[in-house]
């Protein structure tokens, strides 16, 4: 039994300045704007510069979120980052953000759940707030996949962009309309080899040979991931709605992970939600992994599309395999 309820206080986001569109990619590899648009729905993505890393994006997203909330910096009492492309293997990128925010002493850690990292981190934040261990949690989703992209694999390299998003998750007051209703996270480690980075960890430490073979880059079996993604995000959202005695009709906005427009449309169709109720910004950012959902949330709340009190349903799928969904009244 939870003692308190958690809510979203505010969102923030940031994408690096460099923008690369499909026509730019056409010039450097064997691909076409037509293929990318029709197979993925993507047009532009943002790339970090050589000296930009995950924490540089995350700190801007985090500052935007805190400034947009009524929460004071000193009242943040937990920092969590969902990422698989942190500044270093260790320390955690959350600790680097903590230092940049001047919040010495505040616990900070990363969650590794691929593209589901933001949902996983939100579930941890929700639990800390609900049991009274934290009052204001800074949750970030940040990834810089272009630093681990295999530029020789046209099936994956056109998909990824860099970005960061953040949310301040706070304890809800009794009269608050806003509330995180429920969250469900799941995994299937037996299929982890469909989407992974082979080298650079303790299984296959970095060596000249691993670098020569491009083993420090993203490997993905696109087709099998595609089918898994629709199936898992549907079953997760369906279960979440059912166990809260709600239906898709009760949802004002679905905010899905932005990996492929065809996956998003497939999910919407299974959920019987019209695409007008689905937030899509994939054409502008591509797949930014754990940043896609907070980037979309930040844009949609700042533009006034999503309003206070609206019922929102977030859902993601990624490496692990991992997936998860979150239901909230914004
Ligand atoms: O975020 C984490 C989760 N990730 C995902 O959810 C991604 C899931 N997967 C996908 O979105 C899709 O599988 C992809 C977009 C990655 C690939 O789309 P697809 O429709 O599954 O394409 P495919 O891999 O089956 O390839 C179809 C054809 C192939 O040519 P042939 O063998 O039919 O002649 C590929 O060589 O498309 C070709 N192709 C390309 N052509 C032009 C693959 N990549 C490209 C490219 N440009 N960039």
């Amino acid at each position: 039994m939870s003692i308190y309820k958690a809510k979203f206080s505010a969102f923030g986001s940031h994408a690096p300045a460099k923008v690369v569109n499909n026509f730019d990619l056409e010039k450097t590899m064997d691909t076409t704007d037509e293929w990318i648009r029709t197979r993925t729905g993507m047009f532009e993505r943002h790339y970090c510069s050589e000296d930009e890393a995950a924490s540089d994006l995350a700190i801007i997203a985090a500052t935007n979120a805190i400034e947009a909330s009524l929460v004071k910096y000193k009242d943040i009492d937990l920092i969590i980052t969902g990422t698989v492309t942190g500044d270093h293997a260790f320390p955690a990128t959350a600790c680097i953000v903590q230092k940049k925010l001047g919040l010495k002493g505040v616990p900070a850690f990363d969650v590794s759940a691929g593209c589901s990292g933001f949902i996983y981190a939100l579930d941890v934040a929700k639990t800390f707030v609900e049991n009274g261990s934290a009052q204001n949690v800074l949750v970030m989703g940040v990834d810089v996949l272009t630093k681990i992209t295999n530029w020789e694999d046209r099936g994956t390299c056109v998909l990824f962009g860099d970005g960061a998003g953040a949310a301040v998750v706070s304890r809800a007051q009794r009269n608050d309309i806003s509330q995180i209703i429920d969250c469900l996270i799941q995994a299937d480690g037996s299929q982890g080899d469909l989407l992974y980075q082979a080298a650079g960890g303790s299984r296959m430490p970095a060596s000249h040979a691993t670098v020569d073979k491009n083993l420090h880059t993203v490997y993905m079996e696109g087709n099998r991931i595609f089918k898994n993604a629709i199936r898992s995000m549907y079953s997760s959202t369906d279960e979440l709605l059912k166990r809260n005695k709600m239906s898709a009709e009760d949802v004002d906005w679905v905010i899905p992970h932005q990996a492929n427009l065809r996956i998003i449309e497939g999910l919407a169709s299974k959920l019987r939600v019209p695409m007008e109720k689905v937030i899509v910004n994939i054409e502008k950012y591509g797949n930014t992994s754990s940043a896609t959902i907070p980037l979309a949330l930040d844009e949609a709340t700042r533009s006034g599309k999503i309003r206070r009190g609206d019922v929102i349903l977030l859902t993601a799928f990624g490496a692990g395999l991992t997936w998860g969904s979150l239901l909230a009244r914004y």
Side-chain angles (χ1 to χ4, degrees), residues 10-14 58 61-63 65-66 118 138-141 164-168 294-295 298:
F11 299 108
S13 65
H14 179 68
T63 308
I66 298 169
F118 185 67
L138 172 62
V139 181
M140 290 159 285
V168 177
L295 261 165
D298 186 40

Side-chain angles (χ1 to χ4, degrees), residues 17-300:
K18 185 176 176 189
V19 178
V20 173
N21 68 31
N22 295 347
F23 298 111
D24 299 320
L25 294 177
E26 275 186 357
K27 289 178 200 145
T28 57
M29 65 187 73
D30 182 17
T31 191
T32 59
D33 169 59
E34 207 261 332
W35 190 94
I36 301 173
R37 264 185 214 262
T38 53
R39 304 312 293 166
T40 72
M42 296 171 186
F43 179 60
E44 290 176 341
R45 57 295 280 144
H46 293 243
Y47 287 3
C48 274
S49 61
E50 239 172 62
D51 58 357
E52 262 177 325
S55 73
D56 301 318
L57 307 186
I59 186 75
I60 299 172
T63 308
N64 288 344
I66 298 169
E67 298 283 338
S69 74
L70 295 174
V71 175
K72 297 190 177 74
Y73 284 85
K74 69 171 179 55
D75 293 331
I76 300 285
D77 48 12
L78 177 62
I79 301 173
I80 312 173
T81 307
T83 188
V84 290
T85 50
D87 290 22
H88 310 284
F90 66 89
T93 295
C95 292
I96 300 169
V97 172
Q98 186 244 42
K99 180 186 83 176
K100 291 183 181 181
L101 289 173
L103 292 174
K104 192 171 176 174
V106 171
F109 58 89
D110 290 354
V111 169
S112 172
C115 301
S116 314
F118 185 67
I119 302 284
Y120 266 62
L122 284 176
D123 200 26
V124 178
K126 169 181 171 291
T127 306
F128 269 74
V129 170
E130 287 181 348
N131 69 24
S133 302
Q135 289 211 37
N136 294 293
V137 187
L138 172 62
V139 181
M140 290 159 285
V142 58
D143 269 306
V144 184
L145 287 181
T146 60
K147 303 261 178 162
I148 57 162
T149 293
N150 181 354
W151 299 104
E152 286 163 24
D153 176 11
R154 67 176 181 165
T156 57
C157 71
V158 300
L159 308 174
F160 305 129
D162 304 329
V168 177
V169 174
S170 305
R171 181 187 293 177
Q173 304 303 314
R174 276 217 181 120
N175 56 354
D176 253 324
I177 184 173
S178 306
Q179 170 188 327
I180 296 180
I181 300 165
D182 199 2
C183 187
L184 171 66
I185 55 172
Q186 292 171 296
D188 175 9
S190 72
Q191 298 195 79
D193 57 357
L194 295 183
L195 174 53
Y196 79 127
Q197 183 184 8
S202 58
R203 176 67 57 198
M204 201 188 290
S207 70
H208 288 294
T210 60
V211 173
D212 289 345
K213 290 180 191 155
N214 253 334
L215 294 173
H216 298 83
T217 58
V218 177
Y219 171 83
M220 178 170 75
E221 287 191 33
N223 270 309
R224 292 176 67 191
I225 288 288
F226 188 101
K227 288 177 199 139
N228 262 297
I230 298 181
R231 199 182 315 121
S232 304
M233 288 193 286
Y234 172 68
S235 72
S236 160
T237 46
D238 187 54
E239 185 179 340
L240 193 63
L241 287 168
K242 280 192 181 133
R243 80 182 188 189
N244 286 282
K245 301 194 171 32
M246 291 170 79
S247 75
E249 281 175 16
D250 299 314
V251 175
D252 294 302
W253 299 103
V254 178
I255 303 96
H257 172 46
Q258 316 272 312
N260 189 318
L261 182 59
R262 291 183 295 132
I263 293 178
I264 295 172
E265 288 171 344
L267 172 68
S269 152
K270 279 174 88 76
L271 272 173
R272 295 176 195 274
V273 168
M275 280 304 286
E276 296 77 57
K277 289 170 76 174
V278 181
I279 304 288
V280 178
N281 64 2
I282 195 168
E283 70 286 353
K284 286 200 294 181
Y285 299 104
N287 181 351
T288 57
S289 184
S290 63
T292 64
I293 290 177
L295 261 165
L297 275 169
D298 186 40
E299 284 191 344

